[in-house]
Amino acid sequence: ATGTGTFLAEVVKHIHKKFQGQQGIWSNYVETHLVPRLNGFELLMASYAMAHLKLDLLLTETGFKPTTNQRFRVYLTNSLEEHHQDTGTLFANWLSTEANEANHIKRDTPVMCVIGNPPYSNNSTNKNDWILDLIKVYKQNLNEKKINLDDDYIKFIRYGQHYIQKNGSGILAYISNNSFLSGITHREMRKNLTDNFDKIYILDLHGNSNIKETQPDGSPDQNVFDIKQGVSINIFVKTKTKSTNCEVQHFDLYGNRNEKYQFLIDNNVVSTKWAKLKPKAPYYFFTSDKYENSDKYKQGFKVNELFEIFNSGIKTDRDNLFIDFDKSRLSNRIKKLISQDFDADFVKEFKVKDSGSYKLTKVIKDKHYSENHLKPIQYRPFDNRWIYYDPNIISRPAAKAMKHLVFDDNLSLSLKRQSKFDFSYSFIHRSICESCLFESAYANNTEFPLYLYPEANGQQTIEQSEERTPNLNPEILAEIEKSLGLSFVPEKDRGNLCFANNTSELRDDYKQTFAPIDILDYIYAVLHSPSYREKYKEFLKIDFPRVPYPTDKDTFWKLVALGGEIRSLHLLESPKVEQYITQYPIDGDNVVGKPKYIHGKVYINEIQYFDNVPLTAWNFYIGGYQPAQKWLKDRQGRTLDFEDILHYQKIIVSLTETDRLMKEVDKLFINL
């Protein structure tokens, strides 16, 4: 057992119930059968002592009367460490009796049942070779840049699995973090568990406040513990004769804490109305069937397979050093940094010190300041700032994609691969991009440049921008050509001349071929369909989006036109953003305080406000941010100048129009 005192005490209580009317043999049973077979490991002295005390008090209450000085087999040891190789030899004399006994259990004892509440710790300190080697089977074939499988609870699942496999049969039963049920990087873990157990029971207790999890009716869902992370009860059963197919049973338990407690008191494995799952490749999810539209969804193309080159956004590790609202102020700061002519206050304010793998004080040595490294950066939606972008100095420059985004005539589609929230994670921009574009808590947006540019001696030139090539997979393009009966061209004018009579309708002659910009706009329209986001929301939380192949030319071009409108709105390049729907009626110092929304007015301080702001725009989400709110909050204490005030009014138009166009897109989505 892990969480030993509590769990072993529950085992004793359960067994004692079976001896009603047999008290005369209870003491004998405890001494000869029960105590010798209950084993527990505790890492902390206080928990170790409490486990012994709890078991002693409980057995005394049951009427147990010992006849020997037999100790409880709860030992002070790290469960996740392998048994000592010298146990049972002369060298064992150098070991304490406690460690020696624990080693004997780890090495020789046939374990039939492993139960407990393992600790959750993503930044685990349990990094000994034995357990790291065991969890390798959960990491094989993942081909992921970042694998979040070193949490202690995952190590304990693998630890318990190891002992059950070693014995040949048995039961592993934990209440644990439930992130492994649907995590994308946990797919090989789930596959391995189904390969090695005959039956798996998952009672998902939900209660994840990190994602503001709710019950199906929308009311709050509470955790059974005083923690934020959702949990589940997991029972893994292995028999001597492994069947070919693992039977996975699942039950969702929502409600407040007391309701969940009562359900658990009133029910057991037999009485619970399980739903049978059929985990399928490639993800093998251990969750209720939220993926009922999987077959149709999989028929679309994955965005990360359409774009051949992509990368995460830039991470400086020192944003207040390398990024600024003001270009000249940033320039002066970087000159001081590279010259190394700075004082202790500068070091403290801008963290000019080495940390982890980022050795800032070393990378700035012998570097020369260059005005060419001052670049605009998409910092947040509608929030453009300046960065000193020298890939040799920046912590994580993401150069694979960013080197293609230093030109004004390129575009990038920003997406997130995984999210804990419903999908709204798409944004188009022209410049290089920061890694927290959509949210700060769960960062790392991915950038998909529309075009790739050649390099000359590792440096690109503006002249070479004319030689760009589409960053698109030829095989997928060929499928689109075939389904639409159109030819793909690598470049095509996408200016106002392609529209008929100054409307949003594309001219007929423009529609004879399609270009990269058309594919981008088609994708952007689909990603902004509310019905698409709702229908496939579970898929959109776990991986890059799949987009339906276009099959109808008329629908395709209508979506291209709508996607192009949304794109130009988000770039603030649409003529519509100049048609302000808000006013800024009160004169003042323009200093941003704590923004607030009151009856259509967005107050930036106690007296000044933007008037006639639609609530839709104020509450509109792009990723985890509400841009109309975020843009102002990030400028608290700053004075808005003339351009800032106009820029904010453009944002409001853009968000309002985006909401309107999303409804237009939705009317066409039913044809896909």
Side-chain angles (χ1 to χ4, degrees):
T2 61
T4 311
T6 300
F7 277 89
L8 290 186
E10 289 302 316
V11 170
V12 171
K13 289 179 184 177
H14 179 74
I15 293 175
H16 182 246
K17 291 179 182 178
K18 305 293 184 181
F19 279 79
Q20 298 299 321
Q22 299 287 340
Q23 190 65 28
I25 60 172
W26 171 244
S27 292
N28 180 265
Y29 171 79
V30 171
E31 199 162 70
T32 59
H33 293 280
L34 183 59
V35 172
R37 296 176 64 196
L38 286 179
N39 304 290
F41 296 152
E42 273 294 354
L43 182 62
L44 301 176
M45 175 59 76
S47 301
Y48 166 80
M50 285 302 299
H52 279 267
L53 179 62
K54 186 175 288 189
L55 286 171
D56 184 57
L57 291 173
L58 177 61
L59 285 173
T60 300
E61 289 175 4
T62 66
F64 168 62
K65 298 177 181 179
T67 61
T68 66
N69 290 324
Q70 181 179 209
R71 63 162 289 173
F72 295 118
R73 294 162 67 92
V74 177
Y75 301 102
L76 192 64
T77 185
N78 187 343
S79 303
L80 298 183
E81 290 181 352
E82 189 181 16
H83 67 84
H84 196 284
Q85 299 297 324
D86 294 298
T87 301
T89 70
L90 291 175
F91 185 75
N93 292 329
W94 291 92
L95 299 173
S96 68
T97 301
E98 191 76 12
N100 206 15
E101 288 293 330
N103 281 319
H104 169 68
I105 294 171
K106 291 180 179 181
R107 188 189 66 181
D108 302 323
T109 303
V111 176
M112 294 175 287
C113 183
V114 183
I115 62 174
N117 177 16
Y120 320 157
S121 176
N122 194 39
N123 297 316
S124 170
T125 58
N126 287 300
K127 297 181 179 179
N128 65 79
D129 292 340
W130 180 73
I131 192 61
L132 292 179
D133 188 61
L134 278 181
I135 63 172
K136 283 181 180 178
V137 295
Y138 290 170
K139 300 180 179 181
Q140 62 187 6
N141 305 319
L142 284 177
N143 193 28
E144 300 280 353
K145 288 185 178 180
K146 187 175 181 180
I147 301 176
N148 299 315
L149 293 176
D150 289 326
D151 196 301
D152 276 344
Y153 90 90
I154 293 174
K155 292 175 180 176
F156 269 98
I157 289 177
R158 183 66 186 95
Y159 158 88
Q161 180 187 353
H162 165 75
Y163 281 106
I164 300 302
Q165 285 180 288
K166 182 179 176 182
N167 187 58
S169 64
I171 296 174
L172 167 62
Y174 284 159
I175 179 168
S176 74
N177 183 321
N178 68 356
S179 62
F180 81 100
L181 302 182
S182 60
I184 195 73
T185 55
H186 302 80
R187 58 187 184 271
E188 284 295 328
M189 174 184 177
R190 292 187 292 269
K191 182 179 184 300
N192 187 269
L193 289 168
T194 57
D195 286 344
N196 285 279
F197 288 96
D198 298 289
K199 292 185 178 182
I200 296 176
Y201 297 89
I202 304 292
L203 202 164
D204 194 343
L205 295 167
H206 295 281
N208 190 338
S209 62
N210 287 321
I211 61 172
K212 299 180 176 62
E213 190 166 18
T214 62
Q215 300 180 50
D217 64 3
S219 57
D221 185 60
Q222 293 184 335
N223 201 300
V224 294
F225 299 132
D226 291 324
I227 60 175
K228 293 183 177 181
Q229 174 59 49
V231 297
S232 59
I233 296 173
N234 320 294
I235 303 172
F236 306 91
V237 181
K238 181 178 179 59
T239 63
K240 289 287 186 181
T241 55
K242 173 73 174 72
S243 60
T244 54
N245 295 314
C246 177
E247 183 180 302
V248 182
Q249 304 283 358
H250 180 273
F251 186 85
D252 285 307
L253 182 57
Y254 293 98
N256 62 46
R257 182 178 294 183
N258 289 333
E259 289 171 341
K260 292 180 180 181
Y261 286 170
Q262 195 59 51
F263 178 91
L264 296 173
I265 291 170
D266 294 341
N267 290 276
N268 54 39
V269 173
V270 176
S271 65
T272 300
K273 296 179 180 179
W274 303 100
K276 190 172 183 179
L277 300 183
K278 295 180 180 179
K280 299 177 183 178
Y283 299 118
Y284 305 96
F285 292 120
F286 285 177
T287 54
S288 55
D289 193 8
K290 304 173 184 176
Y291 309 98
E292 57 187 16
N293 298 305
S294 62
D295 291 340
K296 185 172 183 179
Y297 184 71
K298 289 177 182 177
Q299 291 173 9
F301 59 86
K302 288 186 71 173
V303 172
N304 60 308
E305 292 176 356
L306 171 67
F307 291 88
E308 297 189 300
I309 299 294
F310 51 90
N311 208 166
S312 61
I314 296 166
K315 189 171 179 59
T316 71
D317 285 344
R318 306 284 189 281
D319 282 6
N320 67 334
L321 175 61
F322 290 106
I323 297 175
D324 206 308
F325 294 101
D326 186 88
K327 184 178 181 180
S328 61
R329 185 169 57 200
L330 173 63
S331 175
N332 293 334
R333 187 163 67 238
I334 298 303
K335 286 177 182 176
K336 180 179 288 190
L337 172 72
I338 292 178
S339 70
Q340 301 186 59
D341 182 22
F342 45 75
D343 56 19
D345 290 338
F346 187 90
V347 171
K348 182 178 180 181
E349 181 178 359
F350 298 108
K351 293 176 62 179
V352 185
K353 59 182 180 180
D354 298 339
S355 58
S357 60
Y358 182 39
K359 309 302 179 185
L360 176 59
T361 62
K362 294 181 175 61
V363 298
I364 61 175
K365 287 183 178 179
D366 303 320
K367 293 295 186 298
H368 300 285
Y369 173 85
S370 172
E371 200 79 25
N372 291 333
H373 289 313
L374 290 172
K375 303 288 184 184
I377 183 172
Q378 191 73 50
Y379 194 68
R380 301 290 180 264
F382 302 107
D383 190 343
N384 304 291
R385 304 187 188 183
W386 290 94
I387 183 173
Y388 188 80
Y389 183 66
D390 181 348
N392 296 310
I393 294 178
I394 296 293
S395 174
R396 278 168 270 187
K400 181 180 177 181
M402 296 304 144
K403 65 184 179 182
H404 302 290
L405 293 171
V406 293
F407 305 109
D408 292 338
D409 60 346
N410 203 2
L411 292 165
S412 181
L413 174 63
S414 293
L415 298 170
K416 268 182 68 71
R417 182 180 181 186
Q418 298 176 60
S419 169
K420 295 179 180 293
F421 306 99
D422 289 348
F423 182 83
S424 59
Y425 297 84
S426 63
F427 195 72
I428 283 180
H429 57 89
R430 290 198 178 279
S431 59
I432 57 181
C433 187
E434 208 269 336
S435 67
C436 298
L437 178 70
F438 293 121
E439 56 189 353
S440 58
Y442 308 99
N444 293 331
N445 40 282
T446 300
E447 298 302 311
F448 297 89
L450 185 59
Y451 284 97
L452 304 179
Y453 294 78
E455 295 182 49
N457 299 321
Q459 297 293 322
Q460 295 154 315
T461 64
I462 297 298
E463 291 76 18
Q464 287 177 303
S465 66
E466 297 179 358
E467 304 173 18
R468 64 186 187 175
T469 57
N471 180 28
L472 301 174
N473 184 331
E475 294 182 3
I476 295 178
L477 292 176
E479 285 292 321
I480 296 173
E481 284 183 306
K482 182 179 178 181
S483 64
L484 288 176
L486 299 173
S487 297
F488 174 77
V489 293
E491 297 276 0
K492 189 160 65 170
D493 177 30
R494 192 66 164 84
N496 290 331
L497 294 177
C498 67
F499 293 99
N501 302 320
N502 293 320
T503 69
S504 60
E505 289 293 323
L506 294 167
R507 288 202 331 255
D508 288 338
D509 58 334
Y510 181 90
K511 300 178 184 178
Q512 301 309 307
T513 58
F514 69 96
I517 189 66
D518 300 319
I519 293 296
L520 183 65
D521 288 342
Y522 168 75
I523 292 171
Y524 210 46
V526 172
L527 296 182
H528 280 83
S529 163
S531 294
Y532 168 85
R533 292 179 172 186
E534 177 61 28
K535 185 174 183 178
Y536 300 126
K537 65 180 181 180
E538 299 303 329
F539 298 99
L540 294 170
K541 289 178 182 178
I542 61 173
D543 206 348
F544 290 120
R546 283 184 180 271
V547 176
Y549 276 97
T551 57
D552 175 73
K553 279 192 279 192
D554 184 55
T555 301
F556 172 72
W557 286 120
K558 286 179 179 178
L559 286 170
V560 168
L562 289 169
E565 285 193 74
I566 298 173
R567 167 177 56 83
S568 63
L569 286 167
H570 290 180
L571 294 171
L572 300 184
E573 295 174 356
S574 170
K576 290 182 180 178
V577 301
E578 306 283 350
Q579 301 169 14
Y580 305 131
I581 60 176
T582 58
Q583 295 85 40
Y584 189 67
I586 306 298
D587 194 15
D589 59 16
N590 298 334
V591 175
V592 181
K594 187 176 181 180
K596 54 188 175 183
Y597 184 91
I598 303 175
H599 303 308
K601 295 180 173 64
V602 174
Y603 284 84
I604 68 165
N605 52 43
E606 291 302 317
I607 61 172
Q608 291 181 284
Y609 58 86
F610 292 92
D611 201 4
N612 297 326
V613 177
L615 184 60
T616 298
W618 178 249
N619 288 331
F620 196 96
Y621 273 94
I622 295 179
Y625 294 133
Q626 293 166 293
Q629 302 180 35
K630 177 68 173 172
W631 192 90
L632 287 172
K633 289 175 181 177
D634 285 351
R635 285 157 177 77
Q636 282 186 294
R638 293 182 57 82
T639 300
L640 299 184
D641 61 22
F642 177 75
E643 293 299 329
D644 289 332
I645 293 169
L646 296 185
H647 183 86
Y648 187 75
Q649 294 187 82
K650 292 176 183 178
I651 293 174
I652 299 303
V653 175
S654 177
L655 296 175
T656 304
E657 281 294 296
T658 299
D659 181 72
R660 180 185 67 81
L661 291 170
M662 287 174 69
K663 295 179 175 67
E664 293 299 312
V665 171
D666 229 28
K667 296 175 184 177
L668 297 169
F669 179 70
I670 59 174
N671 296 325
L672 294 180

